[in-house]
Amino acid sequence: MSRTVTVGLDDAPESRAAAEWAAREALLRGLPLKIVHVQEPTPGYAARIPLLELDSYQRWAERLAHESADGIRLRHPDIEVITEQLTGTVADVLCEAAGFAELLVLGSRGLGGLGGFMVGSASLGVVARAERPVVLVRVGEQAADEHRPDPAGVPSAAASFRPVVLGLDIDRPDDTLLEFAFDAAARRRTALRAVHAWPEPPASFPRFPGDAELHDSLERAQATLLNKVLRPWRQKFPDVEVLEASRCGSAAQVLASDSRDASLVVVGRRIRTSPLGPHIGHVTHSALHHIAAPVAVVAHS
């Protein structure tokens, strides 16, 4: 059975933005789009609610999914659209749905009180547990946002895509992450910017004589290592222009800075068991909360 691009849908604005992004991604990949609406189990206190009201909710949920699907079919007639109504805990059901998908797309709310994007607990739970790629899309995301400005300086979906940005740890590069990022850039016919951050040496410039030389030496060495990691992937994807960005500083801050003009940002999440449960890592966590572009989290070993 063919995999799908699957999107979790509710009535929130960010969910509708996610559905539109998922439709465009399905078109790029030549895959069906599956729209999944999850109904939480009825809590005990709701047992006193008249059955008529519960039936009304179910009819509303079905109408939401079908109307969303009809709208996408109208705007994207070349996409096969499937709808599915499921019951269960949202994070659990979406994690299971992700297992059958090429990738799962979820909505992410707008700016919170501290200037970061608000990511719901269900979405974070899915990102931390799903073993397929999960993409978080911001509320208000438009097709034109992923493209460069047209000759008049206006962002336009008819113009070329902005670059795909990959956050890369060259000490532990993973083929699954690199494959996803290069493939995303190839499908968009755009450049891939590979971003690697390395920490300042303990004796940092310019406090001591020779620090500038030490810094320059480390910079050259890190750039060489990044180039070595990317070399086989350049050969595998010869049509993808690769932009290498090896910078000294905090990995989270460097990635956010280099992602301001991205169409898509790709980060990794290492699959591992922990007594405290799954987690996503501080760089990926920061990307989800501070990068405006859609963020794809790719689970890898």
Side-chain angles (χ1 to χ4, degrees):
M1 183 174 65
S2 174
R3 289 186 180 271
T4 61
V5 173
T6 297
V7 59
L9 179 74
D10 56 27
D11 63 341
E14 62 269 20
S15 178
R16 292 191 288 273
E20 284 298 318
W21 188 94
R24 298 194 298 272
E25 187 67 16
L27 187 62
L28 282 174
R29 293 174 177 268
L31 292 175
L33 172 67
K34 179 183 283 189
I35 298 174
V36 174
H37 178 267
V38 182
Q39 181 180 346
E40 291 269 17
T42 305
Y45 71 82
R48 299 186 297 274
I49 296 176
L51 288 176
L52 181 61
E53 292 188 23
L54 292 177
D55 288 343
S56 296
Y57 172 80
Q58 290 170 350
R59 287 196 299 272
W60 168 83
E62 291 173 1
R63 188 170 65 252
L64 172 71
H66 288 306
E67 288 178 352
S68 177
D70 288 344
I72 287 172
R73 291 187 187 103
L74 184 64
R75 291 184 292 277
H76 306 280
D78 296 329
I79 301 174
E80 177 188 357
V81 184
I82 307 162
T83 62
E84 190 170 21
Q85 304 279 340
L86 300 172
T87 301
T89 304
V90 172
D92 292 342
V93 172
L94 290 176
C95 277
E96 185 176 355
F100 299 98
E102 188 75 10
L103 56 85
L104 175 69
V105 185
L106 303 174
S108 173
R109 282 171 283 174
L111 291 171
L114 298 178
F117 291 98
M118 298 173 65
V119 181
S121 58
S123 295
L124 284 176
V126 174
V127 168
R129 293 162 49 197
E131 296 193 2
R132 299 294 301 169
V134 180
V135 181
L136 265 66
V137 178
R138 310 304 185 190
V139 63
E141 169 75 14
Q142 302 285 330
D145 297 336
E146 302 166 30
H147 295 259
R148 299 183 185 279
D150 65 14
V154 178
S156 169
S160 59
F161 276 94
R162 296 177 183 272
V164 171
V165 173
L166 167 64
L168 187 60
D169 179 357
I170 63 173
D171 293 328
R172 293 180 293 180
D174 182 86
D175 287 352
T176 303
L177 180 65
L178 285 155
E179 178 89 38
F180 184 95
F182 270 85
D183 180 71
R187 292 181 186 278
R188 288 163 173 77
R189 298 181 181 179
T190 191
L192 175 70
R193 181 183 299 140
V195 179
H196 160 63
W198 48 277
E200 253 186 309
S204 64
F205 170 82
R207 290 180 297 170
F208 302 103
D211 277 355
E213 289 79 3
L214 173 61
H215 185 279
D216 290 346
S217 175
L218 287 171
E219 187 173 51
R220 289 192 298 271
Q222 292 293 322
T224 299
L225 290 173
L226 176 60
N227 181 270
K228 182 179 179 181
V229 168
L230 295 172
R231 191 176 302 137
W233 294 95
R234 289 179 187 269
Q235 296 170 355
K236 188 173 182 178
F237 292 88
D239 294 332
V240 174
E241 179 188 4
V242 180
L243 309 173
E244 299 179 16
S246 177
R247 311 196 192 286
C248 178
S250 157
Q253 293 177 1
V254 167
L255 179 61
S257 176
D258 274 83
S259 299
R260 289 173 183 165
D261 64 340
S263 63
L264 177 68
V265 177
V266 182
V267 291
R269 179 187 70 81
R270 196 167 296 278
I271 301 172
R272 53 189 173 187
T273 57
S274 166
L276 301 177
H279 62 285
I280 61 176
H282 77 279
V283 176
T284 296
H285 190 276
S286 175
L288 294 176
H289 286 85
H290 297 289
I291 291 176
V295 178
V297 181
V298 180
H300 60 85
S301 58

